[in-house]
Amino acid sequence: MSRIKIISLFSIIIALASCSKDDYRLDAQNIDPFVRFNFLTSGAGVPLEYPAVSTTIQPAASYENKSVKMLKVPVTLTSTTLKTPVTVNFSAATSGNQDSFTLEPASELVFQGNKLTDTIYLSFDKRWANKQAITLKLEHASDENIHIGNLNTYAPNDIFTINLGDISTTYTFPVAQYLVKGQVGETIDFKVNFPNGFFPSEIENASIFKFQNGFEYSLTHDDYGDNRSSITYHLKLLEDIQNDDARYETKINLINIPNYTATGNVGLTIVKPIKSPRDILANPASKFSDPTNAFYLTYGEHWFNNNGTCSWQTFNALTFPVVVTKDNENAILYSDKGTANPNDDVYHDAFKIGFNVSTGTNTVNSFGLKRWFSNESNAAAVSPGFNIISALEFFPANGNSKTQGTVLVIPQDITIGSSATNTHVIAISGDGTYKEISAGLYEISFELKLTNDKLFGGTVSTQYRMYNNRVYPKPAALNIPCPKEVTL
């Protein structure tokens, strides 16, 4: 956060006496120095922050703000390198409650040397009930040679108005599942994200979780500080749950409270899975991923209704290994990045793969799930369940086979919806086998189960085949029923 540097009256007098307008001129263009608001937005109306800048976008004179996160308003001095510091005063006025926001700095910006941009940080402390506006105005500079506003009359940018619009405050889990080793005192950290920010006074004493506990733990969170984008929670195990033959599971679900709506991933599952002896050198996950290719696909077919007839329907999805830390029991070294420093080594889970986008906020078609619904949203913010980062787990035959074994659809809850206000939590599970059916060609054969009372009236399932190559033998037709598309 910007801090004002105190400049003595004496130094300001010296600066005024020793500088002339010619000292600031940009020689190539012969432009007089001027200071103005330099608030830029993307085509989607999202404020640009460094390093996202643009020399072609016209600075805005106003902005409609619907978020309660800190708003950063940059102010830029167009000048050559400054020989002495320059201060610029500004004022703030509002049509609403003056106590609903704070400014840092309060009224004075500082420019010096090559630092020709300073920032006004606007923090919102209370929810505004009615629409209001906050107007910032550049008043005067410590050097009279610096012009306030652009050197034009049509877009001076010496005044910037923030119109406070309707607030939509939501929250979500960025990660849907965590694994624990099951040791007393073990701690995992997880976040609750607030895409449009939050007011600490509204969250501090609110009950935002519903619990379904499978083991004993304590739950604390970090101080909020200036962060209004997320809250970090710390879950600490209070009992030993290391029985290798048992699966332990705790679920934490976000619930709606006044002014806040749970969206996207609304459920978090903490699991201590059954432990099975496996040789990481078998590394079956490597048969179904290629980290050197950001567009690597696996190919699949599922037995599904097609215009009233059951048939094999094709799909594919971007497929990736599951990145883990060195101390993970299933970790296998993927890359040392060509250095002797072990801190930059990359490890993958030898027995898990997942499906996700390489970049961006869209979704892939994990398990061909998009065919299951007629009106689904493809945005990750609404349907994060289409991107299943940890989806399949392999168990090599005899613990060390490199050609065959069993496969588990990792049990978890996924969220899929048609809009932010219409989402559904669906439990997925299933199991099957995998094997090398010809040289280098692997097939995964499994049943996938989906459970949701409202959508399916309980649990529905169907058969799947997946391959690590786009060329594979077409599966033989099955003599079993198949699910059909549903409306969310």
Side-chain angles (χ1 to χ4, degrees):
M1 185 173 289
S2 176
R3 290 291 186 271
I4 297 175
K5 294 185 177 179
I6 298 176
I7 304 174
S8 69
L9 178 62
F10 177 77
S11 66
I12 293 177
I13 292 173
I14 293 298
L16 288 171
S18 61
C19 294
S20 69
K21 185 179 293 187
D22 288 339
D23 289 331
Y24 295 101
R25 285 187 184 277
L26 303 182
D27 293 336
Q29 299 174 318
N30 199 29
I31 296 175
D32 289 338
F34 62 94
V35 63
R36 85 287 191 199
F37 289 106
N38 194 27
F39 190 91
L40 307 176
T41 61
S42 68
V46 178
L48 297 184
E49 295 183 16
Y50 182 84
V53 295
S54 173
T55 58
T56 60
I57 300 175
Q58 176 71 32
S62 64
Y63 175 70
E64 183 179 19
N65 182 60
K66 297 183 178 181
S67 169
V68 301
K69 293 191 294 187
M70 179 184 289
L71 184 66
K72 302 176 184 179
V73 183
V75 179
T76 298
L77 173 61
T78 299
S79 169
T80 57
T81 299
L82 298 173
K83 298 177 181 178
T84 57
V86 171
T87 62
V88 175
N89 290 92
F90 67 92
S91 62
T94 180
S95 61
N97 185 354
Q98 189 74 39
D99 296 332
S100 65
F101 66 94
T102 55
L103 297 173
E104 177 64 34
S107 62
E108 189 176 74
L109 299 163
V110 178
F111 306 90
Q112 55 188 334
N114 290 320
K115 177 183 173 292
L116 299 178
T117 293
D118 204 355
T119 303
I120 301 171
Y121 296 87
L122 183 62
S123 298
F124 300 98
D125 306 314
K126 298 178 182 178
R127 184 177 294 268
W128 53 90
N130 300 307
K131 291 186 177 181
Q132 67 183 77
I134 300 171
T135 301
L136 305 176
K137 182 180 180 181
L138 300 176
E139 299 287 357
H140 64 271
S142 61
D143 189 326
E144 62 183 8
N145 291 307
I146 296 175
H147 187 270
I148 299 297
N150 275 321
L151 303 178
N152 60 50
T153 56
Y154 60 88
N157 293 117
D158 59 336
I159 295 175
F160 184 71
T161 302
I162 302 104
N163 297 305
L164 302 182
D166 296 330
I167 307 173
S168 174
T169 39
T170 62
Y171 42 32
T172 185
F173 287 118
V175 177
Q177 186 177 93
Y178 286 92
L179 300 182
V180 293
K181 297 177 182 178
Q183 302 168 346
V184 174
E186 181 181 357
T187 300
I188 64 165
D189 299 333
F190 66 88
K191 289 182 180 292
V192 175
N193 280 355
F194 294 77
N196 286 326
F198 67 94
F199 293 104
S201 60
E202 295 178 344
I203 294 296
E204 179 61 44
N205 298 315
S207 298
I208 67 173
F209 296 131
K210 177 182 178 182
F211 302 95
Q212 184 180 336
N213 297 329
F215 49 82
E216 295 295 322
Y217 60 90
S218 63
L219 194 62
T220 58
H221 66 75
D222 286 348
D223 292 336
Y224 302 135
D226 293 330
N227 176 29
R228 301 290 179 84
S229 297
S230 65
I231 301 175
T232 299
Y233 288 84
H234 311 283
L235 183 148
K236 181 178 180 180
L237 267 65
L238 300 179
E239 65 171 310
D240 185 276
I241 53 172
Q242 295 187 75
N243 183 350
D244 291 344
D245 297 325
R247 174 185 171 91
Y248 299 86
E249 180 178 283
T250 276
K251 291 187 177 182
I252 301 176
N253 293 303
L254 290 169
I255 60 175
N256 296 332
I257 63 172
N259 295 321
Y260 293 85
T261 303
T263 61
N265 281 326
V266 298
L268 172 66
T269 304
I270 299 95
V271 177
K272 203 296 290 183
I274 295 173
K275 187 174 181 179
S276 176
R278 291 174 287 185
D279 183 356
I280 61 170
L281 295 181
N283 199 10
S286 65
K287 310 298 183 184
F288 299 94
S289 64
D290 181 5
T292 65
N293 180 2
F295 304 101
Y296 177 82
L297 298 169
T298 50
Y299 303 84
E301 308 224 7
H302 59 167
W303 189 246
F304 206 80
N305 187 289
N306 181 24
N307 295 321
T309 302
C310 293
S311 62
W312 288 108
Q313 303 290 303
T314 62
F315 66 91
N316 58 60
L318 291 170
T319 310
F320 298 93
V322 175
V323 178
V324 295
T325 56
K326 180 180 180 179
D327 61 349
N328 186 292
E329 63 182 3
N330 297 327
I332 188 167
L333 180 63
Y334 168 68
S335 172
D336 62 6
K337 293 190 175 180
T339 72
N341 181 4
N343 294 327
D344 65 1
D345 292 350
V346 178
Y347 288 85
H348 293 162
D349 192 305
F351 306 108
K352 294 179 182 178
I353 60 170
F355 313 103
N356 200 2
V357 292
S358 54
T359 59
T361 59
N362 212 324
T363 54
V364 296
N365 197 13
S366 300
F367 297 135
L369 288 174
K370 294 182 180 181
R371 186 173 283 117
W372 286 71
F373 311 103
S374 61
N375 58 333
E376 74 281 359
S377 169
N378 291 323
V382 176
S383 300
F386 285 136
N387 296 335
I388 308 178
I389 298 173
S390 186
L392 291 174
E393 183 169 7
F394 302 96
F395 297 84
N398 301 317
N400 60 6
S401 174
K402 295 186 176 182
T403 59
Q404 62 182 327
T406 58
V407 67
L408 177 73
V409 177
I410 298 172
Q412 58 192 285
D413 293 336
I414 63 173
T415 300
I416 293 173
S418 60
S419 67
T421 57
N422 180 38
T423 60
H424 302 268
V425 176
I426 302 168
I428 64 170
S429 62
D431 57 61
T433 61
Y434 72 95
K435 62 180 178 180
E436 186 178 26
I437 59 175
S438 63
L441 177 62
Y442 284 80
E443 177 188 72
I444 309 173
S445 175
F446 62 98
E447 178 186 38
L448 177 67
K449 300 177 182 179
L450 278 65
T451 301
N452 180 284
D453 289 340
K454 183 177 180 179
L455 295 176
F456 310 120
T459 299
V460 293
S461 66
T462 195
Q463 284 292 313
Y464 277 74
R465 306 289 185 267
M466 287 184 62
Y467 304 89
N468 63 339
N469 193 297
R470 66 185 305 169
V471 179
Y472 56 84
K474 187 75 173 179
L478 303 177
N479 187 26
I480 59 172
C482 59
K484 61 181 180 180
E485 185 180 73
V486 299
T487 299
L488 295 170

